Amino acid sequence: MTPKPRTWKELPPGITAAHGALVTALREIRECSARTQADIARDAHQEPTTLSNHLNAGRIPDEALLRGFYSVVEKDASGRGPLPHTLEFLLELRIRAKKKHCLCCSVGYPVTTTSPQAKPPQPASHSVKRPDRMRARHLRREARQHAFPISQERAGVPVPRSKGDRHPADAAELTWSETGVVARYLADGRKRDAGFLLWQAGASYSATEIVVAVSSCRAAGLDDAAEAILINVAERTDRQAVLMIAAALDKAGRHGDVTFMLTAAMRAVG
């Protein structure tokens, strides 16, 4: 029996891109079962209202609930081919939806799921000898505190970087169209909007586009914005893409950015 397509509610406008991607994937999985949502929820050992909340972006599901939901639908769809998404993919989307993606926003952290007891991890004492790693930890701690220090003057007036940190022949050609938008958002206190642009760049841009975005932010004096992009690149699960971006940055003469990004990547997998 082929499941009848459902009519879903529109996603709330306030959710993040990562959370929206997770909900869309969950809905596509749910479409693979011809049974009622109440039956699916019962067999997955959760309340129907809980499952409905997950499918309508009310909350990000706990891992156990997500696994239970997937297992039930997988059995219902047995014999009709694989589900549109793997469980591993859904779990990865859940992690992205739950984490803070950059320096200036709380992407993926709805108020209802924030734990008041959560404390930022303390850096180990030996990391004092590793300034790049110490810097990455500092930036992540700032992200949890919604800190993105930048003055009005710094946001509005481009500040040239030293030639040692960029390729002299290419520097004048590297202009990211969103640089001014990010600067205005930060100057206006719109940290969440700026954070979304930076997360989107780091999570989806090609190697060439990353070089352009990072170089443009550095040239405009938006160092924290550039490093937010690099942190989001480092958190990509496609490690080959991360290496290609590192190679592109190195070719452009951005050796300091390569070191920073690879340090953040080591922390992301560690």
Side-chain angles (χ1 to χ4, degrees):
M1 179 180 177
T2 303
K4 182 180 179 181
R6 296 170 55 88
T7 300
W8 295 101
K9 297 179 181 178
E10 291 188 7
L11 295 178
I15 69 170
T16 66
H19 190 187
L22 173 63
V23 173
T24 299
L26 290 175
R27 289 178 173 182
E28 291 172 353
I29 295 294
R30 192 273 175 257
E31 295 280 9
C32 295
S33 175
R35 296 197 297 153
T36 66
Q37 207 152 285
D39 287 341
I40 296 174
R42 183 188 64 248
D43 289 354
H45 306 292
Q46 55 185 277
E47 293 295 326
T49 52
T50 300
L51 179 56
S52 177
N53 210 8
H54 297 159
L55 293 172
N56 288 295
R59 288 181 67 90
I60 297 173
D62 292 336
E63 181 177 336
L65 296 179
L66 191 154
R67 287 180 178 275
F69 163 73
Y70 189 92
S71 177
V72 170
V73 177
E74 188 175 38
K75 290 179 181 177
D76 290 347
S78 178
R80 295 200 299 270
L83 296 180
H85 305 290
T86 65
L87 176 59
E88 290 71 23
F89 178 71
L90 290 182
L91 292 173
E92 180 181 328
L93 286 180
R94 177 186 174 275
I95 291 173
R96 288 182 174 274
K98 290 283 288 183
K99 70 169 47 174
K100 296 178 182 180
H101 291 93
C102 60
L103 302 177
C104 54
C105 70
S106 55
V107 173
Y109 277 80
V111 175
T112 54
T113 59
T114 301
S115 171
Q117 285 80 28
K119 295 181 179 180
Q122 297 298 317
S125 58
H126 69 273
S127 65
V128 175
K129 299 179 181 179
R130 299 288 302 276
D132 292 320
R133 180 169 295 183
M134 193 68 177
R135 174 63 173 163
R137 286 182 174 178
H138 172 68
L139 291 173
R140 292 174 188 278
R141 186 159 58 247
E142 283 187 345
R144 284 187 288 271
Q145 298 170 351
H146 309 279
F148 203 126
I150 183 168
S151 66
Q152 178 77 28
E153 180 181 0
R154 182 180 175 188
V157 181
V159 179
R161 300 285 294 172
S162 61
K163 292 184 179 180
D165 194 37
R166 61 182 176 179
H167 197 291
D170 297 338
E173 302 173 6
L174 299 179
T175 302
W176 183 37
S177 60
E178 303 291 355
T179 307
V181 178
V182 170
R184 286 195 299 273
Y185 280 162
L186 294 174
D188 293 341
R190 297 170 60 183
K191 297 178 181 180
R192 181 178 293 275
D193 293 330
F196 176 77
L197 288 177
L198 298 171
W199 170 75
Q200 186 179 50
S204 63
Y205 277 18
S206 67
T208 301
E209 291 170 328
I210 290 295
V211 173
V212 171
V214 170
S215 299
S216 184
C217 285
R218 293 288 194 195
L222 301 175
D223 291 328
D224 288 336
E227 289 168 359
I229 294 173
L230 294 172
I231 287 174
N232 287 307
V233 169
E235 292 177 347
R236 291 189 183 186
T237 56
D238 186 348
R239 310 318 291 174
Q240 183 63 34
V242 175
L243 291 176
M244 290 178 63
I245 292 169
L249 287 167
D250 185 68
K251 184 177 180 181
R254 308 208 63 83
H255 309 303
D257 289 330
V258 173
T259 301
F260 180 89
M261 189 187 74
L262 294 180
T263 301
M266 287 188 293
R267 288 192 49 77
V269 298

